[in-house]
Amino acid sequence: MESQWNDADAEALTTHYAAQGIPRDLALRVYTTRLLGRDPRLVLHGGGNTSCKTTATDLVGDSWPVLCVKGSGWDMATIEPAGLPAVKLAGLRKARGLARLSDEAMVALQRSNLIDPAAPNPSVEALLHAFLPHRFVDHTHSTAILSVVDQDDSRRLCAEIFGDKLAFVPYLMPGFELAVAAAEIFERDPSVEGLILDKHGIFTFGETAREAYERMIHHVSRAEEYLARQGRTNWPEVALPAALARPREIAPLLRGAIAWRRSPREIERFVCEFRTSPTIRKFVASAQLEDLAQRGVSTPDLSIRIKPGPLVLPAPDATPGADFGSVIRDRVAKFVADYRAYFERNNARAGGTKLMLDPMPRLTLVPGLGLYGHGRSRKDARVAADCAEMWIETVLGAEAIGAFRPLPPDQLFELEYWSLEQAKLKAAPAQVLTGQVAIVTGGAGAIGRATARLFAASGAHAVVLDLDRAAAAAAAQEAGNDSIGLACDVTDRAAVRAAFDAVIDAYGGADIVISNAGAAWEGAIGELSDELLRRSFELNFFAHQTVAQAAVQLFRQQGTGGVLLFNASKQAVNPGVNFGAYGLPKAATLALSRQYALEYGADGIRVNAVNADRIRSGLLDEAMIASRAAARGLTVDGYMSGNLLGQEVTADDVAQAFLHQVLAARTTAAITTVDGGNIAAALR
């Protein structure tokens, strides 16, 4: 590992922040914190922390010696000065004289000493930073360091590698007791450049930001060099099938199996992120993979990201089917049972006051393929996969020089269920569609865009399919929430299959499919060419069938039901003059929706349709609106508001109808009319 310090970059950042009134020492603290945070071998997703001791002025103009320490919720890779809240140093150091300090009291003490009362909570390790005398203190969870400390003889190894440059601190949970113990150990030899925290990580310190940072790089490099020099190269692997399944063939089976069924009406779904590399494949081919998986995670705070350990599947052959789906479900059931036992055993020891988190795995290992990270969002799934890659690197390093011996899972419980760690996961509350994936065809049109936008705002990841790739991407970006846009001609079966495969690759599967794409042609039915009528049927009927077939296949693989919705149009019920080319296939599509509801209800698949009318869109553009108004002898405004409510209906109203159908858990084979009231189009 090499130092990334660059004088020009450091000066540029201090100049940038000086214009905002940020002092030089805090600006340099931001600079080196980002350097540490950008290397996943040191820091991952909110882990680690840094600090500097300086002075700050409070709201009434008084100046105080303070500790600027990383605040909860900030990522070191992108931290800003606001992410290092200033805490009055005297109040923190006074706590050193206390006999004990509960976690809740520690948080209260830290908050009561904030210069800015609105600042984020200081790190749970703020007291450790405060009790050390150095101006700059850095803390990381280096994978190389963890490979060394996750050993039975970690103290001896650390002495061999670091000599007397780093002091060794036996494992204690973060908090007051660890801060006191670390300070006492430092004070026995104030010449040390840092601390090794057993089973946890490394602290380094210095009088400048650069010194603390480069000491971190230096000592981590020594650990890396030791692993490279002393590490064994043999790695016993199991034999794999001659031909293996593809990751996308496993993902829907796995995603369905890990869906958490809280009740018959409530299923919490997860997004899956697949990762593979030569290193990952080497690891998951280990002959002792099951044993390694059960030993625990490399540093305790990973337990809040990937639980105490992963789920392990057998290697899938080239044709995984129902039998392999059963294997996955059995493995998941055992994981859940083991997690429940782990929780009940340790909760009883803790006084029975904890509420169990969902017991589903956040990491799955598959020999021959790689790993899947799981999360309630695509971001969380990526975080789990990132943590898994660093855990694997740590285990490989530990096994190369000895045996991977982290904290056993039962000792992780205290931290996994520690309220101060759980606070890291508290973001926006779950929304009604959190964890779900919704595919919208014709997604770049007015109705499609409105639907994608509403579903993403309701917690789903939207997949926008459209003929126009750029328009699909723009609609997905507008929707937000890690949505994606894909080019897809829904009249091309191969293109639909490719789009669904891309959805599986991105999220592991899908839960909602809204077959919305369509186009309209005008002309008297007796004068239409066969070519035009067939063209309309291809898009306005057969494409819906192609999309529905792909949706049902995916839903049945997942085994968690699903929602299939059709844009059937008012024309399916109340045909308009010179609009037969559109109305006839739409009538067939309405019948198609009922047939799917009839045949797949037993699989928990709900199928509904929306009967909308007069929505401004690419299909009903200004020219067609004028034409349809003229055909009915109306003005444009009269045509658009020609309903019982006397109001124009919008694409957002149609999107609301689709959302209603998704949330109506006991409704299928239904048709929702969105037209402001048209008795002629009302179903009888």
Side-chain angles (χ1 to χ4, degrees), residues 41-317:
R41 296 169 298 171
L42 295 173
V43 171
L44 275 179
H45 301 295
N49 39 71
T50 62
S51 70
C52 71
K53 298 177 180 73
T54 182
T55 58
T57 303
D58 66 16
L59 296 175
V60 295
D62 292 336
S63 183
W64 300 84
V66 295
L67 176 77
C68 292
V69 63
K70 197 199 86 166
S72 179
W74 281 85
D75 191 316
M76 287 172 61
T78 56
I79 201 163
E80 295 286 343
L84 291 153
V87 194
K88 295 173 185 175
L89 197 51
L92 298 184
R93 285 181 167 167
K94 192 171 182 179
R96 177 79 186 277
L98 299 176
R100 64 178 303 276
L101 187 67
S102 69
D103 295 333
E104 294 73 18
M106 180 181 73
V107 172
L109 171 70
Q110 292 175 178
R111 286 212 61 82
S112 69
N113 281 282
L114 282 168
I115 291 291
D116 178 2
N121 280 341
S123 165
V124 297
E125 288 164 323
L127 289 182
L128 200 162
H129 287 259
F131 293 169
L132 294 169
H134 306 81
R135 290 191 67 214
F136 291 85
V137 178
D138 294 349
H139 170 46
T140 75
H141 301 145
S142 154
T143 55
I145 296 294
L146 291 172
S147 291
V148 172
V149 298
D150 284 343
Q151 302 280 342
D152 286 334
D153 59 345
S154 53
R155 183 188 289 270
R156 180 193 64 79
L157 282 171
C158 288
E160 180 180 342
I161 298 168
F162 307 111
D164 59 2
K165 294 294 185 181
L166 300 179
F168 186 88
V169 181
Y171 178 76
L172 285 169
M173 237 183 85
F176 175 71
E177 290 185 14
L178 174 61
V180 171
E184 290 175 348
I185 288 170
F186 165 76
E187 287 162 1
R188 292 173 199 161
D189 183 4
S191 69
V192 296
E193 298 175 353
L195 304 171
I196 291 289
L197 274 56
D198 197 26
K199 317 300 185 199
H200 182 155
I202 177 174
F203 276 78
T204 56
F205 23 76
E207 288 310 300
T208 66
R210 182 171 186 172
E211 182 177 46
Y213 165 74
E214 293 196 331
R215 282 178 171 175
M216 177 68 69
I217 301 304
H218 171 72
H219 291 296
V220 169
S221 297
R222 293 185 68 178
E224 289 177 336
E225 291 161 4
Y226 181 87
L227 295 174
R229 186 172 63 252
Q230 301 293 332
R232 301 186 299 269
T233 57
N234 62 309
W235 183 255
E237 297 183 2
V238 295
L240 297 172
L244 286 159
R246 292 174 297 177
R248 71 167 60 112
E249 293 168 332
I250 305 301
L253 302 174
L254 177 58
R255 183 169 184 261
I258 65 170
W260 174 228
R261 294 158 176 81
R262 287 189 175 272
S263 72
R265 287 177 174 267
E266 187 179 6
I267 300 178
E268 290 186 0
R269 294 172 172 86
F270 294 84
V271 173
C272 298
E273 167 85 2
F274 179 73
R275 298 276 177 88
T276 194
S277 69
T279 298
I280 293 172
R281 287 193 296 273
K282 171 186 175 181
F283 180 79
V284 298
S286 169
Q288 52 180 346
L289 184 61
E290 294 270 8
D291 175 45
L292 292 171
Q294 292 173 6
R295 293 187 200 173
V297 291
S298 51
T299 187
D301 73 326
L302 284 190
S303 63
I304 70 168
R305 301 293 190 182
I306 55 175
K307 296 207 175 275
L311 168 70
V312 178
L313 298 181
D317 63 26

Side-chain angles (χ1 to χ4, degrees), residues 643-658:
N643 53 55
L644 297 179
L645 296 178
Q647 299 175 9
E648 182 174 339
V649 183
T650 70
D652 288 329
D653 297 317
V654 182
Q656 288 286 350
F658 282 132

Side-chain angles (χ1 to χ4, degrees), residues 451-659:
T451 302
R453 190 167 57 241
L454 178 61
F455 276 55
S458 301
H461 298 302
V463 180
V464 177
L465 303 186
D466 200 273
L467 268 174
D468 186 332
R469 183 186 303 274
Q477 184 175 19
E478 177 187 312
N481 196 32
D482 258 328
S483 299
I484 60 173
L486 302 170
C488 180
D489 178 354
V490 291
T491 66
D492 181 341
R493 183 172 295 275
V496 171
R497 180 68 265 160
F500 272 72
D501 285 347
V503 173
I504 293 169
D505 291 344
Y507 303 104
D511 311 282
I512 303 159
V513 173
I514 301 166
S515 193
N516 167 70
W521 291 269
E522 292 185 276
I525 191 65
E527 300 170 12
L528 290 178
S529 68
D530 286 352
E531 179 186 5
L532 188 142
L533 188 57
R534 290 178 189 279
R535 182 181 176 192
S536 183
F537 263 90
E538 283 295 329
L539 177 58
N540 294 309
F541 173 73
F542 285 107
H544 288 291
Q545 162 68 347
T546 300
V547 170
Q549 285 181 318
V552 165
Q553 179 186 1
L554 177 56
F555 292 162
R556 296 182 81 187
Q557 284 179 302
Q558 293 173 155
T560 54
V563 182
L564 173 60
L565 305 178
F566 294 91
N567 186 340
S569 169
K570 163 262 184 189
Q571 295 295 325
V573 180
N574 176 216
V577 175
N578 294 331
F579 228 40
Y582 182 64
L584 289 171
K586 281 297 187 179
T589 296
L590 181 58
L592 183 73
S593 73
R594 292 185 162 184
Q595 196 69 32
Y596 269 94
L598 176 67
E599 296 188 15
Y600 296 101
D603 293 303
I605 298 171
R606 296 189 293 109
V607 188
N608 297 300
V610 167
N611 160 19
D613 189 26
R614 304 185 194 182
I615 311 298
R616 292 182 191 269
S617 64
L619 185 151
L620 190 62
D621 59 16
E622 295 303 321
M624 184 169 285
I625 290 171
S627 172
R628 299 311 301 157
R632 293 173 183 261
L634 299 170
T635 66
V636 167
D637 288 343
Y639 175 71
M640 293 305 292
S641 61
N643 53 55
L644 297 179
L645 296 178
Q647 299 175 9
E648 182 174 339
V649 183
T650 70
D652 288 329
D653 297 317
V654 182
Q656 288 286 350
F658 282 132
L659 180 61

Side-chain angles (χ1 to χ4, degrees), residues 351-399:
T353 60
K354 307 292 186 181
L355 293 176
M356 191 180 78
L357 303 169
D358 80 75
M360 290 301 169
R362 294 301 190 271
L363 170 62
T364 298
L365 308 177
V366 188
L369 294 186
L371 65 86
Y372 294 88
H374 312 301
R376 294 278 281 139
S377 68
R378 196 180 190 193
K379 176 183 176 182
D380 288 344
R382 287 169 170 165
V383 167
D386 289 345
C387 291
E389 289 200 62
M390 293 304 100
W391 172 69
I392 285 172
E393 185 173 317
T394 298
V395 177
L396 288 171
E399 287 289 303

Side-chain angles (χ1 to χ4, degrees), residues 6-19 24 27-28 31:
N6 180 283
D7 287 334
D9 290 345
E11 286 304 314
L13 195 67
T14 58
T15 300
H16 168 75
Y17 283 124
R24 181 179 178 82
L28 290 173
Y31 174 65

